[in-house]
Amino acid sequence: MSTPRPIAFFDMKAQQALIRDQIEAGIARILDHGRFIQGPEVDQLEAQLAAFCGAGHAVGVSSGTDAIQIALMAEGIGPGDAVFLPAFTYTATAEVPLLLGATPVFVDVDPRSFNIDLADLERRIALVQQEGRLKPRAVIAVDLYGLPVDWPALNAIAERHGLFTLDDAAQAFGGALQGKRLGRWAHATACSFYPTKTLGCYGDGGALVTEDAGRAELYRSLRTHGEGKTRYEVLRTGMNGRLDSIQAAILLAKLPLLEGELQARAQAAQWYEAALGNRVQTPQQYPGAESAWGIYTILLPDEAARARVQAAMQQAGVPSAIYYPKPLHLQPAYRAAHAGSIAGGPPPLPVAEDLCTRCLSLPMHPYLTQADVARVAEAVMKHL
Ligand SMILES: *Cc1c(COP(=O)(O)O)cnc(C)c1O
């Protein structure tokens, strides 16, 4: 029997083969013009990103994490401020408020969508208000695995409490809600172009998307050390948070593929659903939401079943991953901040803790074939 073709967890090679010439030509142009930082490719990319999202402004920055940081710095968020965010997400979402001296308040997640639980958000806002020690300032909601948050409902809560809303769309670039792409649903949207994201460069990169011209101008200043209209006028404390020209050129070559790639991801998700939907909990899709399918995550009955399935997959030569094995409030780096965020100890976060024991992510990328998906599904079901 011949060995079956290897299945990648994320596949960046198949895509690269399609656009290798454009990428090399784009890099060559930059070697010639020599504007490695803030070159014309960055301006061009920003215009195309804004157009893709249907949004007013896109500002290229050095990573998704720096996008979050610049967005919070622009609001002046710091000591004494409470920033609400889900406990079940990547560490970057929580690290930034702490770096700025603010207090992260971890919120539980919904067991079906894996996104921030809005009832729990309201409960924690009320607790912080009652205590009166911290000022509720912002909510960072994550479109986890690519599925848009229920933004209309979240925005209603945020408006009632005067909170700044930041969409951490690092896993969801290209996702949409009610036909409107992410990028227009929050005051600002943080995007990551880390290589494995739905739109990825070949290094670190990110962007902030916003409808607000004033915010976009602030973001441009903050990413360049707080500079003013002229280069050596420093208006505010900023950072070195620029996107470089070579990464912008790579993204310019990739962006024309994205629409088709998003459709291919949705197709792969449908194949998974058909193969696995009766056996395990597959990702929820709710009316009006179009996931970007950045990561495909199933839920198994318990931790032992997950270990069995992972072992069977490994034996079959099929990669898998656990996003995430530990909720942020239990991470050594964040435990103390969590404990101190609400007097007497914050309420428990049972859903986030439970999901960490049972979630399993399967290969997901636009170049999966139906046969690949069938092989993954077979390995998943073997010892279920
Ligand atoms: C990847 C990711 C980030 C950080 O993006 P970087 O570009 O790696 O800094 C932030 N939040 C979430 C949810 C992510 O998945």
Side-chain angles (χ1 to χ4, degrees), residues 36-39 41-42 45-46 49 59-63 193 201 204-207 223 240-249 251:
F36 299 108
I37 302 286
Q38 303 282 104
E41 291 77 11
V42 176
L45 177 71
E46 287 178 344
L49 289 174
V59 179
V61 298
S62 39
S63 69
F193 304 131
C201 53
D204 278 308
R223 74 171 170 188
N240 180 352
R242 296 168 300 225
L243 178 69
D244 67 68
S245 306
I246 288 180
Q247 297 308 337
L251 292 164

Side-chain angles (χ1 to χ4, degrees), residues 63-65 68 89-90 92-93 142 168 170-171 192 194 197 205 324:
S63 69
T65 308
I68 298 171
T89 176
Y90 184 58
T93 322
V142 182
D168 178 346
Q171 299 179 3
S192 165
Y194 184 82
K197 310 284 183 170
Y324 295 91

